[in-house]
Amino acid sequence: MSKEKDKTDNAVIDLEHARVRLRSHAARATPDSLVQDLAVVRGLLDQGLTIEARTRLISLLSEARNQPELLAQARRSLSIALEMQGNYRESLDAVAMYEPPEARTKLNPTLGTLLRVQIALANNYNGDHPKAISLLKATLRGLPEEGAEVGAVYAGLARVYRSISEYPIARDYSHRALECYRQTGDWRGLAEAYFGLGTADIHEGQHEASLENFGQALKLVGDHPATFLLGKIYSNMAGACWFMKRPQDGIRYLEKAVSYYERTDHKNNAADGYNNLGMNLVLVGQWDRAQEALERALSIANETGEPGAQVPMILDSLGELLMLRGDFEEARVYLERAVALSAKNANKWYEGQAQRTLGRCFVAMKRGAEALTTAKKAQELAEEIGDRQAICESHLLLAEACLKSGDTAGCGANLDQLAQLITDSPADLLLAGEAQRLHGLVAMTGGDASTAAQHFGRSVSIFDLLGDRYRSARAHFELGRAYAIAQPERAAEHLTRAVNIFRELGAHLNLSRAEEAAAALDQTTPQQLRKRETVVQLLTLRLAEAVATRELLLRELAAVVRQETNAGRVIIIEPDEGGRQRVVIAHGCSRKESEAWAEDYANLKKDSRREAFAEKHDVAVINLSPSNAPPATLLISPRDRAALSGGLSLDPLLRVVELGMDVCALRARARSGSGAGEESALTGASLMPGFIHSSPAMTRLVEEVHKIRSSDVTVLVTGESGTGKELVARAIHALSSRRDKIFVPFNCTAVPRELSEGYLFGYRRGAFTGAVKDSAGLIQTAVGGTLFLDEIGDLPLDLQPKLLRFLQEGEIQPLGEQRPIKVDVRIIAATNTDLEEMVAQGRFREDLYYRLNVIRLRVPPLRERRSEIPTIVNYYVNHYAAKFGRRDIQIEPQAIDLLMVAEWPGNVRQLCNEMQRVIARAEDGALIKPEHLSPELRLMSSPTTPPGTVTPIGAGAGAGGASMTLPIQDVTLADALAEVERRMIAEALHKHNGNISRAARELGLTRRGLYLKLERHAMSASA
């Protein structure tokens, strides 16, 4: 990282000024400055800058030695920094002194709880898991049932149980933490809870669910500079994609992960990320990019000075890539170095992995004896550490080594042992594909090319499904070799495909072998035809064993039909969620042609039209209709090929496939059932008419309102725009003795200044030009009731003395009236401005301020009462659903979470507008998801992209300057400018608490101009 880059990053997060201040104020540190310094350290930890955070904290420990609370906070932060660096013993030492209860007596209870959680986690990472659990559960017993403190304890328990692989228990605690953090809108807590759920999902095989939970964590982090957490999230998303055999998605996530990790002090994480990126690139055949990524990983790992853990893993990956390229001798050198380093550091898992790769290298080099010796060492290590995956891979290696040594019996024995260990789950597909390849090689050794073709055909289906280009090409090569003997007319297709892929990959040795096999096709003598019974048995077994996933089963069916019928085209389609037909697999035609057929078929409305479709395309249409699974359709062209060789019917095979589809569906339902999400029970309640509240701050406000219900005293309601000040005023009126009289609201900015006096106090006919008749004015209109003066701070200065007299004497004098008139009206005023500051500036009368400020009620902004957001959302969902005639509208908890962490500069009014917009667009039975929320909320929930960003706006404005970060990849200039405009508008509205006039003035726009831009950008006026 260059100094210039560091400078840019600091400008974006506004930390540079704080860092300078930290260096210079040691001699004059105050409690307030220390609190600010701790906040800066928190930001450094979020960004993974643990070295600088640790340095700052050591200084803070000295400065805060006479401040017990601040000292404890600093020690806790230091423990977290050391934990992030992997210094677990030191992490525990930093907070161990706070374990005795007497050491926490001078600390506030919340800090005491957080310290106990950190002590427990430090014990956990030092291997004392029972003590960690005991400490956390003891802490839990002294806490209420909900709140941020309880959430921290639950999150700690989830982390400990994940450490000991108790993932169901960890999941339960993560859910509990999530519920607690939802009450406070703590974005860190919510994001960490979803991260915990996603991690548990991965280890329980619920990979789709894990991606959803990680994705929600990303949205909750949003544009907060949580670089380290973002790196962890993207790394784990890539891990889920690895298990789901989606390498392209994994590559995309890993590229993001390493871009974040490179900006932190955790270079070992970046090295892991680059290594995993290289492995994924190898898988998809981008070997040059893979080499670059692996060399970058090795460079970073060597820079860290801790080669023991990571260098062997990276050397193993590099060795495998070189082996695939055919550079066996260089690969052997890398792999033997990886074995030696792992053994030196007593890391048996890495040693076993490197031994297995080295064994495969010896197999490729045709050094059978060395391959066998290495394979046996790898198996011993795998058995010693008890890793099932490693044991399975060792059996595969032993089987191939035995085969290369001429020991077919030993090969078969190892394959039999492997068959007892692997399952038909998606996680074992790679092992199953390799096992099928070896079974095929055994059959070829025995001279049974027809049986070999069945095994190689299944390995082709598996590796095509996994997207493993090298293994797919190798399987096509082996299948072509078998067909050259059994069905020569089919061999050229597979050998040609193998040649093309090997050429693209740069696998030179494999390429020459495939080219030689293709050139020798004409010289091959076909084997005698097989018996019909043998054909059916082999095919039935092949399909029955392909129930790992529905897609693999349908791919195998298509491969079998193409192979055994010699059909020109075989296509399988199935309905998608939108009712259209999706192409699952197509043989003998392009993707575009198959999709055109699928579209034609989907447009058929009657069965009679299907016959016309079949005749038009010369295709046999076969419906697959399982009992408990979605249907599919098999298309075979030409239609007279819809039978096995020798005239055997396809029906027995189709029944096997339908049963397999039911099995796959049953497994999918079982997996989804175990991870079913919790029901959201959102309820609304109010102890005050027209007012929704549940937080402690709002409850105190309600209590204050009840206290003054029997009084006519003047009330000043303060709070930001959109907090509900008028609702408070109406509630005061509704609870007072004047509730049966009129309530008159008046916004002091709604009438031109020159007309305000007449509008408020009234006038007589002829009092001024245009006064053609008497007007009572609002004050007289409100006689006996309540007059609510909103935005009182904007009342014209020359009108304030008349309002003061009214408040003092209870009388008014309309324009043109000779004598004052007594009136009985209660005044409630409201403002979103600082009246004290206006008095100091001479813009508001001091005596009027004191007359208004008899009883003062502050309505807290929505961000200070986030626990109410679910209740308010539930109320407005029901309210607008009834208003717009919508039924059964539900909102996802994930959408609620995004609403919880939003800043809401427009407060409840903005939230109300958001719900109104969403419900107005919803249909009956709709489930509101995060993507249904407004663009500005979705923008806020998108992590800032680290590379290729523009940061000119406010970058040098110092601590108070606004900073913006815009991703510039794949956007036009117009899009980038629109994004800048959107963010400037949002910043101005936030700065002026949603006041349109002031925001427009700052932006150099008219009010109407700003409203037009808000409409164009689909932004709320209170956003």
Side-chain angles (χ1 to χ4, degrees):
M1 298 292 288
S2 69
K3 293 181 180 179
E4 192 65 22
K5 175 64 177 169
D6 287 339
K7 203 172 189 180
T8 302
D9 289 344
N10 295 338
V12 172
I13 58 171
D14 292 327
L15 281 176
E16 188 60 34
H17 177 70
R19 289 172 175 168
V20 173
R21 182 168 48 79
L22 273 171
R23 297 187 186 101
S24 63
H25 80 334
R28 52 185 177 81
T30 65
D32 287 345
S33 68
L34 292 175
V35 169
Q36 294 174 16
D37 295 343
L38 283 169
V40 171
V41 167
R42 171 75 267 189
L44 291 169
L45 293 177
D46 283 340
Q47 296 170 77
L49 301 176
T50 48
I51 295 174
E52 184 171 354
R54 186 175 173 182
T55 303
R56 303 299 174 214
L57 284 165
I58 291 171
S59 174
L60 280 172
L61 290 177
S62 174
E63 296 167 10
R65 59 185 177 275
N66 296 321
Q67 305 283 339
E69 292 260 342
L70 296 173
L71 181 63
Q73 291 180 49
R75 283 195 164 276
R76 175 175 171 268
S77 296
L78 179 60
S79 177
I80 293 170
L82 291 164
E83 174 195 304
M84 291 171 67
Q85 293 178 329
N87 299 321
Y88 299 129
R89 184 68 252 173
E90 294 177 54
S91 174
L92 180 58
D93 291 342
V95 289
M97 69 286 298
Y98 293 106
E99 186 172 344
E102 57 271 17
R104 303 188 302 272
T105 53
K106 295 182 179 180
L107 307 178
N108 73 62
T110 299
L111 178 56
T113 299
L114 296 177
L115 281 166
R116 295 182 75 183
V117 171
Q118 186 57 33
I119 293 167
L121 290 174
N123 277 284
N124 173 65
Y125 291 119
N126 278 281
D128 196 345
H129 310 301
K131 182 175 181 179
I133 294 171
S134 176
L135 282 171
L136 288 168
K137 291 192 173 180
T139 304
L140 203 57
R141 285 193 288 271
L143 295 175
E145 293 185 359
E146 57 184 30
E149 302 165 60
V150 188
V153 179
Y154 284 143
L157 282 164
R159 288 172 68 179
V160 174
Y161 278 108
R162 287 200 300 273
S163 298
I164 57 176
S165 302
E166 292 288 350
Y167 297 106
I169 301 175
R171 176 196 302 282
D172 179 61
Y173 280 119
S174 289
H175 275 299
R176 296 188 194 183
L178 196 59
E179 290 302 318
C180 292
Y181 287 128
R182 278 177 176 155
Q183 300 300 311
T184 60
D186 181 344
W187 68 266
R188 286 191 188 90
L190 286 167
E192 288 281 4
Y194 274 108
F195 177 81
L197 289 173
T199 306
D201 288 334
I202 286 182
H203 287 90
E204 292 187 308
Q206 299 177 34
H207 303 119
E208 285 286 2
S210 74
L211 287 180
E212 291 178 9
N213 283 315
F214 288 135
Q216 182 68 4
L218 287 176
K219 294 174 184 175
L220 289 163
V221 172
D223 55 3
H224 296 286
T227 314
F228 183 66
L229 178 57
L230 289 169
K232 290 200 302 179
I233 294 170
Y234 279 120
S235 292
N236 280 273
M237 292 177 81
C241 290
W242 176 267
F243 288 111
M244 296 168 69
K245 314 307 177 188
R246 286 163 47 181
Q248 294 289 359
D249 290 337
I251 289 167
R252 193 166 63 252
Y253 292 137
L254 283 166
E255 287 172 338
K256 292 182 178 179
V258 295
S259 68
Y260 283 113
Y261 280 140
E262 287 260 47
R263 302 170 67 202
T264 72
D265 294 332
H266 299 266
K267 303 306 180 187
N268 54 336
N269 294 69
D272 287 340
Y274 276 114
N275 183 64
N276 293 331
L277 177 59
M279 293 167 64
N280 277 273
L281 290 167
V282 167
L283 196 65
V284 300
Q286 297 182 34
W287 288 359
D288 290 337
R289 287 186 63 201
Q291 182 104 18
E292 291 176 11
L294 293 173
E295 287 175 353
R296 176 63 179 150
L298 189 60
S299 173
I300 294 173
N302 285 325
E303 287 172 10
T304 61
E306 300 176 3
Q310 292 177 304
V311 171
M313 173 181 65
I314 300 166
L315 290 172
D316 176 72
S317 300
L318 275 167
E320 180 157 8
L321 175 57
L322 290 166
M323 184 176 66
L324 295 176
R325 288 184 181 277
D327 302 327
F328 298 127
E329 194 57 40
E330 190 177 355
R332 181 188 63 78
V333 173
Y334 274 108
L335 293 168
E336 287 179 346
R337 184 182 164 200
V339 170
L341 272 175
S342 301
K344 178 182 177 181
N345 290 284
N347 192 319
K348 294 182 179 179
W349 191 94
Y350 283 132
E351 184 182 356
Q353 173 65 32
Q355 290 276 19
R356 288 191 296 277
T357 311
L358 180 60
R360 291 201 301 274
C361 184
F362 284 136
V363 167
M365 298 172 76
K366 299 181 180 179
R367 292 160 61 168
E370 291 170 276
L372 201 56
T373 302
T374 307
K376 288 177 180 177
K377 290 180 182 176
Q379 187 183 33
E380 290 172 4
L381 287 166
E383 297 283 359
E384 188 175 346
I385 63 177
D387 186 321
R388 186 188 76 90
Q389 180 79 12
I391 293 170
C392 291
E393 291 178 5
S394 299
H395 278 302
L396 276 174
L397 176 58
L398 271 170
E400 191 160 10
C402 287
L403 189 61
K404 290 293 181 183
S405 302
D407 183 5
T408 54
C411 175
N414 276 288
L415 289 175
D416 289 342
Q417 291 181 57
L418 176 66
Q420 296 174 14
L421 291 172
I422 65 174
T423 66
D424 53 7
S425 72
D428 285 346
L429 274 179
L430 185 65
L431 295 171
E434 286 293 334
Q436 289 299 319
R437 183 181 68 85
L438 289 176
H439 278 299
L441 291 174
V442 171
M444 288 290 284
T445 303
D448 189 353
S450 297
T451 301
Q454 296 297 331
H455 290 299
F456 291 139
R458 186 174 176 197
S459 69
V460 165
S461 296
I462 291 174
F463 294 133
D464 280 347
L465 175 64
L466 296 180
D468 190 327
R469 298 195 70 210
Y470 175 79
R471 286 187 169 90
S472 175
R474 188 177 57 177
H476 278 290
F477 167 65
E478 301 291 3
L479 181 57
R481 287 179 56 231
Y483 275 151
I485 299 172
Q487 295 175 270
E489 69 278 8
R490 301 298 309 280
E493 174 188 350
H494 295 281
L495 289 174
T496 300
R497 188 165 180 184
V499 166
N500 291 336
I501 297 175
F502 285 139
R503 183 178 291 117
E504 291 174 14
L505 295 177
H508 307 298
L509 187 59
N510 295 99
L511 175 60
S512 62
R513 290 172 180 170
E515 288 175 337
E516 288 173 8
L521 272 181
D522 295 336
Q523 305 169 18
T524 307
T525 303
Q527 283 187 348
Q528 188 176 1
L529 293 176
R530 301 161 291 167
K531 293 182 180 179
R532 296 181 180 182
E533 294 81 2
T534 305
V535 173
V536 175
Q537 288 175 2
L538 285 172
L539 297 179
T540 301
L541 180 62
R542 178 174 171 181
L543 291 170
E545 290 178 347
V547 292
T549 67
R550 175 186 171 97
E551 185 170 357
L552 175 62
L553 178 62
L554 295 180
R555 282 175 172 269
E556 278 284 73
L557 173 61
V560 164
V561 170
R562 181 92 191 283
Q563 173 183 324
E564 298 299 327
T565 66
N566 289 324
R569 295 182 178 184
V570 177
I571 303 172
I572 296 181
I573 57 178
E574 64 181 4
D576 61 17
E577 294 180 355
R580 308 299 297 171
Q581 291 291 331
R582 180 183 77 91
V583 177
V584 179
I585 184 67
H587 290 299
C589 61
S590 67
R591 188 75 183 179
K592 185 176 181 180
E593 291 173 321
S594 63
E595 288 174 350
W597 278 27
E599 186 174 354
D600 285 351
Y601 186 78
N603 292 331
L604 302 178
K605 302 299 183 184
K606 299 179 181 179
D607 289 341
S608 59
R609 298 293 301 162
R610 292 181 181 174
E611 182 58 34
F613 169 84
E615 290 182 3
K616 173 185 176 183
H617 295 288
D618 187 20
V619 62
V621 180
I622 301 173
N623 292 317
L624 299 171
S625 305
S627 303
N628 298 296
T633 304
L634 172 64
L635 306 176
I636 304 173
S637 177
R639 62 197 306 183
D640 59 6
R641 293 288 186 179
L644 297 174
S645 57
L648 292 174
S649 173
L650 283 172
D651 285 346
L653 300 183
L654 299 178
R655 300 294 79 79
V656 170
V657 171
E658 287 175 337
L659 287 172
M661 292 165 73
D662 280 333
V663 170
C664 293
L666 182 63
R667 286 176 174 165
R669 283 195 290 270
R671 284 195 296 269
S672 63
S674 63
E678 71 279 2
E679 290 293 323
S680 175
L682 301 177
T683 57
S686 177
L687 301 176
M688 196 164 73
F691 213 71
I692 304 169
H693 63 277
S694 60
S695 68
M698 291 303 290
T699 300
R700 287 193 295 271
L701 175 63
V702 171
E703 290 172 353
E704 289 297 318
V705 170
H706 275 268
K707 289 177 183 177
I708 61 173
R709 66 184 183 275
S710 59
S711 168
D712 271 352
V713 68
T714 302
V715 179
L716 177 63
V717 184
T718 65
E720 295 178 7
S721 178
T723 50
K725 296 186 291 296
E726 183 173 340
L727 281 176
V728 172
R730 288 183 180 275
I732 294 171
H733 173 76
L735 291 171
S736 72
S737 58
R738 298 174 180 264
R739 56 182 169 272
D740 295 329
K741 302 294 184 179
I742 192 171
F743 176 88
V744 179
F746 173 66
N747 190 308
C748 297
T749 63
V751 178
R753 302 172 69 89
E754 59 273 13
L755 300 181
S756 296
E757 183 177 354
Y759 205 83
L760 267 178
F761 296 96
Y763 53 85
R764 292 285 178 257
R765 178 181 177 183
F768 52 85
T769 304
V772 295
K773 62 179 181 179
D774 292 348
S775 173
L778 284 180
I779 294 178
Q780 289 193 67
T781 303
V783 167
T786 302
L787 175 63
F788 173 58
L789 299 176
D790 200 4
E791 303 294 351
I792 190 67
D794 292 321
L795 189 70
L797 195 59
D798 56 357
L799 197 58
Q800 292 178 19
K802 294 196 72 171
L803 181 61
L804 175 62
R805 178 173 176 78
F806 164 61
L807 291 173
Q808 288 176 331
E809 308 298 337
E811 61 184 30
I812 62 172
Q813 189 169 358
L815 291 172
E817 179 64 60
Q818 299 302 314
R819 293 189 301 271
I821 302 172
K822 286 283 186 182
V823 288
D824 176 24
V825 176
R826 182 183 191 177
I827 295 295
I828 301 176
T831 182
N832 63 4
T833 58
D834 186 346
L835 290 184
E836 291 88 343
E837 181 65 23
M838 292 185 70
V839 169
Q841 296 174 0
R843 294 188 295 122
F844 197 86
R845 290 182 63 101
E846 185 176 10
D847 47 4
L848 176 58
Y849 166 71
Y850 289 125
R851 276 290 174 184
L852 292 171
N853 196 32
V854 178
I855 296 290
R856 185 166 184 156
L857 300 176
R858 176 181 177 269
V859 186
L862 192 55
R863 61 182 176 276
E864 293 181 12
R865 46 187 173 114
R866 295 182 188 275
S867 61
E868 293 180 346
I869 290 177
T871 307
I872 297 171
V873 167
N874 182 63
Y875 170 81
Y876 282 123
V877 166
N878 293 332
H879 172 75
Y880 287 117
K883 180 178 179 179
F884 299 138
R886 306 291 192 268
R887 292 178 297 174
D888 302 324
I889 303 293
Q890 301 292 327
I891 183 165
E892 268 191 350
Q894 289 80 0
I896 292 283
D897 292 336
L898 290 186
L899 298 175
M900 286 286 286
V901 300
E903 285 302 311
W904 300 117
N907 293 291
V908 179
R909 183 186 298 126
Q910 184 184 357
L911 178 57
C912 169
N913 293 343
E914 179 70 19
M915 289 298 99
Q916 183 177 10
R917 187 194 64 79
V918 170
I919 302 302
R921 295 183 175 184
E923 297 179 353
D924 289 350
L927 178 63
I928 300 170
K929 299 182 177 182
E931 54 265 30
H932 296 142
L933 301 178
S934 60
E936 56 265 31
L937 287 175
R938 295 202 305 273
L939 178 69
M940 186 176 58
S941 65
S942 301
T944 303
T945 305
T949 57
V950 180
T951 59
I953 300 178
S963 63
M964 302 185 187
T965 303
L966 299 180
I968 62 172
Q969 296 97 335
D970 303 321
V971 296
T972 65
L973 178 60
D975 290 337
L977 291 174
E979 183 60 31
V980 171
E981 188 172 85
R982 176 195 294 278
R983 294 199 181 191
M984 288 183 69
I985 292 171
E987 184 68 25
L989 287 168
H990 178 72
K991 178 179 178 181
H992 295 291
N993 298 318
N995 188 300
I996 290 290
S997 298
R998 293 172 187 163
R1001 193 178 304 120
E1002 177 173 307
L1003 293 168
L1005 300 171
T1006 63
R1007 284 172 56 88
R1008 175 166 173 74
L1010 180 52
Y1011 274 119
L1012 289 172
K1013 287 185 179 294
L1014 288 170
E1015 183 178 351
R1016 189 176 75 193
H1017 292 301
M1019 296 173 69
S1020 168
S1022 55

